[in-house]
């Protein structure tokens, strides 16, 4: 199953070190499917998006993902991909960038021909083959149609997909230079939020989050003294204050770490999919690893 990780300390820019993959040990190499791609997105001091990503198609790509990457930003987005739609190509590797925003997705959307027709000329925003990037293009279009309101655009896009396309899961994180949005829909996969005070639950501690099976690690000394909000597809430390987003819940974290949430999609998908309905490769990408 794809891993999502978003972090904001806005308005403060924070130094953080990411290991998108840690070096495999014999147990993890033998017991778990290997990822198909990794990516890290953040923003420069002038708000320009930066993305480092690679498919895991060769030893060199694996080495790229295991390198420690120290970057500075107010918001970060990391993704580990298990491919469901689209080949192992950098064009299909998350995060995606459109209109200065970054986006990553965990789940499966089918009926892509219908989605392409609905996008029309906005299909030009899509450079790869994934359902995720197509959905992001719909979010981008709906955001512009709603006067730049990303929350409204994300909800409108998700409601259209939920009402018109076969859907397994639509867990997303979207970030801008000072904002973070997260949506969990429906209840297929988990998505957690942690509103972390300076120093964490025990106080005076840096952030050191590690995913299961060595897939992702994030370290920040600066967050010993600054608050932050983290969104992730799994609890990444022992802090008891991780909260599971409710199905259909949209979370927005603003530039001063003001957090709002609401149930934006209260109804189940019109055409829900189960694992048994998916192609074997898509089903394999959605199982826990």
């Amino acid at each position: 199953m794809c891993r999502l990780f978003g972090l904001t300390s806005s308005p403060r820019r924070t130094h953080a070190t990411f290991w998108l993959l840690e070096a495999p040990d014999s147990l993890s190499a033998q017991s778990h499917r290997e990822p198909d791609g990794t990516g890290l997105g953040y923003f420069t001091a002038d708000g320009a998006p930066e993305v480092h990503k690679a498919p895991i198609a060769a030893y060199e790509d694996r080495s790229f993902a295991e390198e420690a990457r120290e970057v500075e930003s107010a918001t970060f987005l990391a993704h580990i991909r298990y491919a469901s739609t689209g080949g192992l190509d950098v064009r299909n590797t998350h995060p995606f960038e459109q209109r200065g925003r970054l986006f990553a997705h965990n789940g499966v959307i089918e009926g892509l021909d219908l989605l392409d027709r609905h996008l029309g000329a906005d299909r030009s925003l899509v450079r790869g083959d994934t359902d995720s990037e197509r959905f992001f293009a719909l979010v981008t279009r709906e955001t512009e149609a709603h006067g730049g309101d990303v929350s409204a655009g994300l909800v409108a896009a998700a409601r259209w997909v939920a009402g018109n396309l076969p859907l397994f899961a639509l867990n997303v994180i979207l970030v801008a230079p000072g904002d973070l949005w997260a949506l969990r829909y429906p209840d297929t996969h988990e998505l957690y939020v942690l509103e972390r005070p300076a120093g964490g639950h025990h106080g005076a501690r840096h952030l050191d989050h590690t995913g299961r099976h060595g897939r992702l690690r994030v370290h920040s000394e600066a967050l010993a003294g600054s608050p932050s909000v983290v969104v992730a597809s799994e609890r990444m430390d022992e802090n008891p204050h991780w909260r599971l987003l409710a199905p259909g819940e949209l979370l927005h974290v603003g530039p001063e770490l003001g957090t709002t949430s609401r149930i934006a999609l209260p109804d189940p998908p019109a055409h829900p999919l189960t694992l048994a309905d998916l192609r074997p490769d898509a089903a394999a990408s959605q199982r826990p690893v």
Side-chain angles (χ1 to χ4, degrees), residues 52-148:
H52 299 282
K53 58 184 181 178
I56 306 299
Y59 172 78
E60 291 80 5
D61 297 329
R62 174 93 202 195
S63 297
F64 165 90
E66 290 173 4
E67 292 176 357
R69 297 186 176 275
E70 183 173 346
V71 294
E72 182 185 35
S73 184
T75 51
F76 304 87
L77 177 58
H79 184 270
I80 297 175
R81 182 185 186 221
Y82 294 84
S84 60
T85 304
L88 303 188
D89 188 287
V90 68
R91 297 178 309 145
N92 295 325
T93 305
H94 307 224
F96 302 105
E97 184 272 328
Q98 293 177 14
R99 303 288 196 266
R101 306 182 193 100
L102 301 174
F103 172 94
H105 165 232
N106 177 19
V108 177
I109 304 167
E110 294 191 349
L112 298 185
D113 289 347
L114 178 57
L115 179 52
D116 283 343
R117 290 197 296 273
H118 184 63
L119 283 170
D122 294 298
R123 179 65 171 78
S124 63
L125 291 166
V126 181
R127 300 172 184 171
D129 308 312
T130 66
D131 53 346
S132 305
E133 192 180 17
R134 286 172 164 94
F135 177 71
F136 187 23
L138 184 58
V139 173
T140 298
R141 183 175 79 184
E142 291 296 332
T143 295
E144 292 176 355
H146 287 80

Side-chain angles (χ1 to χ4, degrees), residues 230-248:
V230 182
V231 177
S233 50
E234 58 183 313
R235 294 182 179 92
M236 297 187 69
D237 69 2
E238 79 287 353
N239 193 310
H241 299 299
W242 286 97
R243 180 177 71 84
L244 178 64
L245 296 184

Side-chain angles (χ1 to χ4, degrees), residues 104-218:
H105 165 232
N106 177 19
V108 177
I109 304 167
E110 294 191 349
L112 298 185
D113 289 347
L114 178 57
L115 179 52
D116 283 343
R117 290 197 296 273
H118 184 63
L119 283 170
D122 294 298
R123 179 65 171 78
S124 63
L125 291 166
V126 181
R127 300 172 184 171
D129 308 312
T130 66
D131 53 346
S132 305
E133 192 180 17
R134 286 172 164 94
F135 177 71
F136 187 23
L138 184 58
V139 173
T140 298
R141 183 175 79 184
E142 291 296 332
T143 295
E144 292 176 355
H146 287 80
D149 186 332
V150 176
S151 295
L154 181 52
V155 170
R159 286 178 176 169
W160 187 89
V161 168
N164 292 278
L165 301 181
L167 177 65
F168 182 70
L170 190 61
N171 278 15
V172 305
I173 300 177
L174 192 159
V175 296
D179 295 86
L180 180 150
W181 294 263
L183 174 68
R184 180 189 179 211
Y185 183 74
D187 60 354
T188 314
H189 294 320
E190 297 175 340
L191 192 62
Y192 292 89
V193 59
L194 174 65
E195 296 184 52
R196 187 180 190 272
H201 175 57
H202 298 288
R205 290 192 179 181
H206 54 257
L207 180 143
D208 195 356
H209 282 178
T210 303
R212 290 190 293 269
H213 313 307
R215 298 306 191 198
L216 171 67
R217 183 182 172 201
V218 186

